[in-house]
Amino acid sequence: GNSVTQMEGPVTLSEEAFLTINCTYTATGYPSLFWYVQYPGEGLQLLLKATKADDKGSNKGFEATYRKETTSFHLEKGSVQVSDSAVYFCALEVGYKLSFGAGTTVTVRA
Amino acid sequence: GAVVSQHPSRVICKSGTSVKIECRSLDFQATTMFWYRQFPKQSLMLMATSNEGSKATYEQGVEKDKFLINHASLTLSTLTVTSAHPEDSSFYICSARKGRGEETQYFGPGTRLLVL
């Protein structure tokens, strides 16, 4: 079956620190990979995506590269801000079905 | 934009009663809507997929008679939890997809259900 494993949180960082959230997956077929973000009190929003191996998704300073050889899609940001405090979900899609990781809560302190 | 709303945002009900949750796409027509359930500190689990005007497709292990889904129009899907019990308490999230080549799912803010 399809599954996603992501780094457990919570993660607490200082502003301008480097953020990495690890994500690995198991999938049948050729999945698309996603990172979603959920800000407090809001619904999930698509942060970035990659549809094939070696693709790099990027948005708002966040990046993730689809690594087929290591079945990974780690999320990185070089300098976080307080406004990046949220829950981050790694997900894969096969067909139209999304499978999510458990989510990682990130808190950025000023 | 692509905004999806849910109503109510939270509901408390007595055991044995039924609860209806609405999911609306506010500024687009959704060919497909999805219903997810999220337990505390766990990932979202897909419950069912609904297409406008047709019966919902339920994931394995999800009771279709327990969780009734109606997708009456291109902007509205409803999830009814029938004869709710405390174990049905959870966070229910819907998403909607425009279709027509755009595959992104747009998520609602979720509904917190507490069954006493």
Side-chain angles (χ1 to χ4, degrees):
Chain A
N2 301 324
S3 66
V4 177
T5 302
Q6 67 180 96
M7 191 173 92
E8 287 190 23
V11 174
T12 303
L13 302 165
S14 297
E15 216 166 16
E16 299 183 3
F18 184 86
L19 170 68
T20 298
I21 304 176
N22 289 339
C23 172
T24 57
Y25 68 90
T26 302
T28 55
Y30 300 95
S32 295
L33 301 175
F34 303 81
W35 277 100
Y36 282 85
V37 59
Q38 186 174 30
Y39 299 104
E42 299 183 16
L44 272 74
Q45 301 174 23
L46 178 64
L47 180 60
L48 53 85
K49 69 177 183 180
T51 58
K52 62 183 187 296
D54 299 325
D55 269 3
K56 177 186 284 188
S58 60
N59 186 25
K60 299 182 180 180
F62 290 90
E63 291 184 341
T65 301
Y66 190 143
R67 300 288 188 198
K68 187 177 179 181
E69 63 276 14
T70 54
T71 61
S72 65
F73 193 55
H74 305 321
L75 182 68
E76 296 182 338
K77 185 172 184 179
S79 177
V80 294
Q81 305 299 314
V82 172
S83 57
D84 293 324
S85 298
V87 182
Y88 293 83
F89 293 89
C90 185
L92 66 84
E93 183 181 65
V94 176
Y96 57 80
K97 294 185 180 181
L98 281 169
S99 299
F100 288 87
T104 303
T105 300
V106 174
T107 302
V108 180
R109 294 180 173 170
Chain B
V3 180
V4 176
S5 70
Q6 284 184 238
H7 178 80
S9 58
R10 59 180 65 192
V11 57
I12 301 173
C13 69
K14 293 182 179 180
S15 186
T17 61
S18 294
V19 175
K20 180 184 285 188
I21 302 170
E22 292 186 349
C23 176
R24 293 181 185 273
S25 56
L26 297 185
D27 52 1
F28 67 98
Q29 292 186 327
T31 56
T32 308
M33 287 185 167
F34 304 84
W35 286 96
Y36 296 84
R37 182 173 179 178
Q38 185 180 25
F39 294 98
K41 298 184 179 181
Q42 295 188 30
S43 63
L44 283 73
M45 301 299 295
L46 179 65
M47 298 174 66
T49 303
S50 71
N51 293 293
E52 185 263 340
S54 62
K55 290 184 178 180
T57 301
Y58 289 81
E59 295 301 300
Q60 191 173 9
V62 178
E63 300 175 59
K64 62 181 181 181
D65 295 329
K66 174 76 171 175
F67 299 99
L68 300 179
I69 292 172
N70 183 282
H71 193 158
S73 75
L74 284 171
T75 60
L76 173 65
S77 177
T78 60
L79 168 68
T80 302
V81 183
T82 62
S83 186
H85 291 283
E87 59 265 30
D88 299 324
S89 300
S90 193
F91 196 55
Y92 294 89
I93 302 171
C94 75
S95 71
R97 191 173 63 140
K98 294 180 183 178
R100 299 187 186 88
E102 182 174 347
E103 306 306 323
T104 300
Q105 291 187 32
Y106 299 94
F107 285 81
T111 297
R112 176 76 61 191
L113 170 63
L114 176 61
V115 184
L116 302 177

